[in-house]
Amino acid sequence: MLPHYLMSGTLLQDLLDIEEEAEEKTSVKDEEEEESSEYEEYSESEDEMGPRLKPVFVRKEDRVTIQERELQEATQEQLEQLNKQRAEERKKDSIRLVAEVVAKELERAKVAEADQLDDLNTDDENEEEEYEAWKVRELKRIKRTREERETAEREKMEIERMHNMTEEERRAELRMNPRLVTNKQVKGKYKFLQKYYHRGAFYLDAEDEVYKRDFAQPTLEDHFNKTVLPKVMQVKNFGRSGRTKYTHLLDQDTTDQDSAWAQPTPAAVNFQNKFGGGLKQVFTKPTAKRRKLE
């Protein structure tokens, strides 16, 4: 090699790079050799620690896993056969029970048919009397049908007649011929927070003392005077999830009864009747005749 003072700058730099690469390769190779030697020493030490067993051949029928699997399969087949036998037995029992029930039903039907035939036996009865009784029943039925038809026609004619009247004529008619109320109920007085029961709206045209009873009488817990309870307990269903918040509308009324509008003076009454909502004393029913005139 030439001395450093005889080499150019570029050539000197290239030689230095080549020497550094050679040194790096040498160091990497040394490290790999050291790692491989350590791994070999570690594997040799593991082999020396554990005992080495001699491999022994086991026949297929002598292997434990195969024997267990065959035993499980045999047990499963036995269970399936047992379930099939039980299902067949249940099927036979069901068929036997159904046959017994059908036989009983047939026997019962035969007995009922025999009883009906005995009832239809009219050998000992008088045909003339039976015929006369039938004529009476038939005449009553015809009369009842005719009365019902005539009543329906009279009601229809009455409704049409009332519809054709004016409001004044209708009021005069109702005043002269008041509606007859059957089974009129005696209205009682309800207690504080008493439960309300409606007597119903059916069969009220029949005369019966049951419909004339006082349905405002207290029952069960309504016999207790709830006005003596504290204010917080004076509600319905106290202590339950369905309890009510208010007792009655009058308790929540915020109207100032001392104001001029609340005084029963002629001016205030006239104003309320004329402009108050739902307080007008005149009600005109909308009819087809009135709509045509308008």
Side-chain angles (χ1 to χ4, degrees):
M1 294 180 61
L2 296 174
H4 293 292
Y5 57 88
L6 295 177
M7 295 182 181
S8 62
T10 305
L11 182 60
L12 180 60
Q13 185 65 32
D14 293 340
L15 291 175
L16 292 175
D17 293 339
I18 292 170
E19 289 179 359
E20 288 178 357
E21 289 179 1
E23 290 178 358
E24 288 178 358
K25 290 181 179 179
T26 304
S27 62
V28 170
K29 187 176 181 180
D30 295 339
E31 290 178 358
E32 290 178 354
E33 290 178 356
E34 289 179 0
E35 290 178 357
S36 61
S37 62
E38 290 178 358
Y39 176 75
E40 290 176 358
E41 291 177 358
Y42 179 74
S43 60
E44 290 176 359
S45 63
E46 284 184 349
D47 294 339
E48 291 176 357
M49 289 173 61
R52 295 183 178 180
L53 300 177
K54 181 180 180 181
V56 179
F57 177 75
V58 181
R59 293 183 302 176
K60 183 177 181 181
E61 58 271 12
D62 296 337
R63 296 172 186 171
V64 179
T65 55
I66 296 175
Q67 292 178 358
E68 290 178 354
R69 185 171 64 253
E70 291 177 353
L71 181 61
Q72 292 178 358
E73 292 177 355
T75 305
Q76 188 68 22
E77 290 178 359
Q78 292 178 359
L79 290 174
E80 291 178 357
Q81 292 178 0
L82 183 61
N83 292 332
K84 289 181 180 179
Q85 293 178 0
R86 290 178 179 176
E88 292 293 335
E89 292 177 357
R90 287 197 298 270
K91 187 176 180 181
K92 292 179 180 179
D93 293 340
S94 301
I95 294 173
R96 179 175 54 80
L97 291 174
V98 170
E100 292 178 357
V101 172
V102 171
K104 291 181 181 179
E105 292 291 337
L106 292 175
E107 186 68 23
R108 192 179 297 108
K110 289 180 180 179
V111 173
E113 186 177 359
D115 295 339
Q116 291 177 359
L117 291 176
D118 294 338
D119 295 337
L120 293 175
N121 187 9
T122 59
D123 295 339
D124 299 334
E125 296 178 357
N126 191 350
E127 294 183 358
E128 294 293 333
E129 294 180 358
E130 290 295 327
Y131 178 69
E132 294 296 331
W134 173 81
K135 285 200 301 184
V136 172
R137 292 195 303 271
E138 189 67 15
L139 290 173
K140 289 182 178 179
R141 183 188 65 79
I142 294 172
K143 182 181 179 182
R144 184 174 61 253
T145 304
R146 185 175 65 251
E147 290 177 353
E148 291 177 355
R149 184 170 61 253
E150 291 176 355
T151 303
E153 290 177 357
R154 284 196 301 268
E155 290 180 355
K156 185 177 180 181
M157 293 175 62
E158 183 67 18
I159 291 173
E160 291 180 356
R161 188 176 68 86
M162 295 293 290
H163 283 178
N164 294 328
M165 290 183 180
T166 60
E167 187 67 24
E168 291 76 10
E169 293 175 351
R170 192 179 298 113
R171 288 182 182 177
E173 180 71 20
L174 293 176
R175 192 180 304 108
M176 297 297 294
N177 300 316
R179 184 177 298 176
L180 181 62
V181 179
T182 59
N183 296 325
K184 189 173 182 180
Q185 179 190 8
V186 179
K187 294 184 179 180
K189 187 177 181 181
Y190 282 84
K191 298 174 65 175
F192 181 67
L193 292 180
Q194 179 180 340
K195 191 174 182 180
Y196 172 75
Y197 292 97
H198 194 275
R199 67 168 181 168
F202 300 98
Y203 309 106
L204 294 181
D205 54 347
E207 290 291 339
D208 197 342
E209 292 295 331
V210 176
Y211 302 118
K212 298 180 182 179
R213 293 179 181 177
D214 185 10
F215 289 86
Q217 293 293 329
T219 58
L220 300 177
E221 67 272 6
D222 291 334
H223 289 287
F224 178 73
N225 186 12
K226 298 181 181 179
T227 57
V228 300
L229 294 174
K231 189 69 175 178
V232 68
M233 296 180 66
Q234 290 183 0
V235 292
K236 293 183 179 180
N237 301 327
F238 176 75
R240 300 181 183 177
S241 59
R243 59 163 289 180
T244 58
K245 185 177 180 182
Y246 307 108
T247 55
H248 48 275
L249 295 177
L250 185 61
D251 186 27
Q252 305 298 323
D253 189 10
T254 58
T255 304
D256 187 6
Q257 301 296 335
D258 297 333
S259 64
W261 298 106
Q263 301 301 323
T265 58
V269 173
N270 188 18
F271 180 83
Q272 292 291 340
N273 293 334
K274 189 175 181 180
F275 299 101
L279 298 176
K280 293 183 179 180
Q281 302 300 323
V282 178
F283 174 74
T284 304
K285 186 176 180 180
T287 59
K289 184 177 180 181
R290 182 177 177 83
R291 285 197 296 269
K292 289 179 180 178
L293 291 176
E294 292 177 355

